[in-house]
Amino acid sequence: QVQLVESGGGLVQPGGSLRLSCAASGSIFSILTMGWYRQAPGKQRELVAGITHGGRTSYADSVRGRFTISRENAKKTVYLQMNSLKPEDTAVYYCNAEGPPITGGTMKWDAWGQGTQVTVCS
């Protein structure tokens, strides 16, 4: 079983910054891809940013240039630095991790955090 725990959400004014963290725990030895998703009220969950084990990153167009995803593999932790926050960034942010099949298995595993609220308003 893999568990993900997010932290760092909160209330911030437009133009402010927040840094989200997500730490994985459990009987795992390898994580392939980690990412951040968000879901605003009445909206579909969307991918915000992703990062591979080797450090290749991808971003949604709406956050490119403002958000930075990074990871520390030894700590099994992924971060999302969010700068120049806008009210449209308000959402629950979810951490996701994906790993290779366990020994004897055929399917990759994935896990989700429970979410952390980010609210951007005056």
Side-chain angles (χ1 to χ4, degrees), residues 78-90:
V78 64
Y79 306 94
L80 185 67
Q81 178 67 46
M82 304 184 294
N83 298 326
S84 302
L85 283 162
K86 305 174 181 179
E88 64 195 57
D89 296 317
T90 296

Side-chain angles (χ1 to χ4, degrees), residues 36-101:
W36 290 95
Y37 292 72
R38 68 185 181 187
Q39 186 168 25
K43 302 293 182 63
Q44 297 291 108
R45 185 174 298 187
E46 64 172 341
L47 175 65
V48 177
I51 184 167
T52 68
H53 186 274
R56 188 171 70 87
T57 60
S58 62
Y59 297 92
D61 290 341
S62 60
V63 307
R64 190 182 307 276
R66 299 187 297 118
F67 292 9
T68 302
I69 188 170
S70 61
R71 65 189 289 175
E72 295 183 65
N73 291 335
K75 296 183 178 180
K76 297 181 175 64
T77 300
V78 64
Y79 306 94
L80 185 67
Q81 178 67 46
M82 304 184 294
N83 298 326
S84 302
L85 283 162
K86 305 174 181 179
E88 64 195 57
D89 296 317
T90 296
V92 177
Y93 284 70
Y94 297 90
C95 176
N96 171 260
E98 183 182 71

